[in-house]
Amino acid sequence: SLTLSEMSLDRGSCTALAVADVWHLELDGCTLEDGGAAMIESVRAGLGPKSLCFLRWSADSHPFDSSERYVTFMTALQGNSYLQRLDLSGLDLFPGVSQALAAALLENKGLIRLCLRECYVDESSWSKLMEAISTHPSLRTVVFDSTFCMNRGDVEQEDVDLDEAKAARAAIS
C-alpha cells in the first residue's frame, strides 16, 4: 500500500506510480503533472495497482487536468478486469463523467468495490449509474456515504452489499 498526500507529481513520478507494484495506491490531494495520462494508460493496459483511491480533490488539486481526462479515465475502465477497487470520493460526477462511468461499468469485469463518497450526481445520470451498478457481474460493495443526487437529496446509505440487495430483489419478484 502506498499513500501520497498533497503533492504535485511530475511526469516521471506519474509514470512510475501508474505501473507501481503495490496493491493499493492512494492519492490524497495530489496533482498529477501529466494530467492523469499515465494512470489512464495503466488502467487501460491492466497494469499497476489493483486498488486506486483519489481523495480530497479541490480546485487546486485534481488528478486529471480536464473534464475530458475524467471521461477518458472512466472509459479506460471498460473491459478492464484488473482493477478491483476504485475510490472516487469527492468527485462531482457531472453528466459526461457519470455517464462515462455508467457505460464503463456495463463493460467492466473486475471491480469488486466502488466508493462514491461525497460525490454529486445529476438525476438523469443517477438512474444510468444505478442500472449499471445493479447489473455489474463482480461488484460487491458500493459506498455512497453523503453522496448527493441533484434533485433527490443526500443518499444516506453507506456500504451496500450488492449480493444481499440482488437476493432481496429476487425474493420479491
Side-chain angles (χ1 to χ4, degrees):
S1 182
L2 178 61
T3 300
L4 300 174
S5 297
E6 299 180 24
M7 298 176 69
S8 181
L9 302 166
D10 64 24
R11 291 181 187 279
S13 298
C14 292
T15 301
L17 285 174
V19 295
D21 189 19
V22 295
W23 193 84
H24 177 78
L25 174 60
E26 183 174 309
L27 300 175
D28 182 358
C30 293
T31 302
L32 306 178
E33 187 180 287
D34 75 344
M39 198 63 65
I40 291 167
E41 288 310 310
S42 73
V43 167
R44 188 175 284 133
L47 301 171
K50 288 187 175 272
S51 174
L52 284 174
C53 178
F54 301 105
L55 293 176
R56 294 192 310 153
W57 296 9
S58 70
D60 297 327
S61 68
H62 289 281
F64 306 104
D65 63 356
S66 68
S67 59
E68 291 79 19
R69 292 263 188 167
Y70 288 130
V71 170
T72 302
F73 177 78
M74 299 305 170
T75 304
L77 294 169
Q78 292 178 340
N80 179 292
S81 60
Y82 183 78
L83 189 64
Q84 295 179 7
R85 294 174 177 233
L86 181 61
D87 187 337
L88 300 171
S89 292
L91 172 64
D92 291 343
L93 295 173
F94 55 88
V97 174
S98 53
Q99 290 171 2
L101 176 59
L105 288 173
L106 289 172
E107 295 184 34
N108 176 279
K109 307 294 183 233
L111 283 178
I112 57 173
R113 180 181 168 90
L114 176 64
C115 182
L116 300 173
R117 183 179 290 121
E118 299 178 6
C119 292
Y120 289 88
V121 182
D122 70 285
E123 191 165 5
S124 65
S125 297
W126 179 261
S127 299
K128 292 175 184 171
L129 193 56
M130 293 302 102
E131 180 181 335
I133 287 170
S134 71
T135 61
H136 193 281
S138 62
L139 199 55
R140 298 293 170 251
T141 303
V142 182
V143 180
F144 289 117
D145 185 26
S146 299
T147 295
F148 185 79
C149 176
M150 291 177 250
N151 300 326
R152 287 193 187 201
D154 284 332
V155 177
E156 290 299 328
Q157 296 169 300
E158 292 200 17
D159 290 3
V160 177
D161 185 313
L162 293 180
D163 288 335
E164 289 177 18
K166 288 175 185 177
R169 186 172 51 188
I172 294 170
S173 299

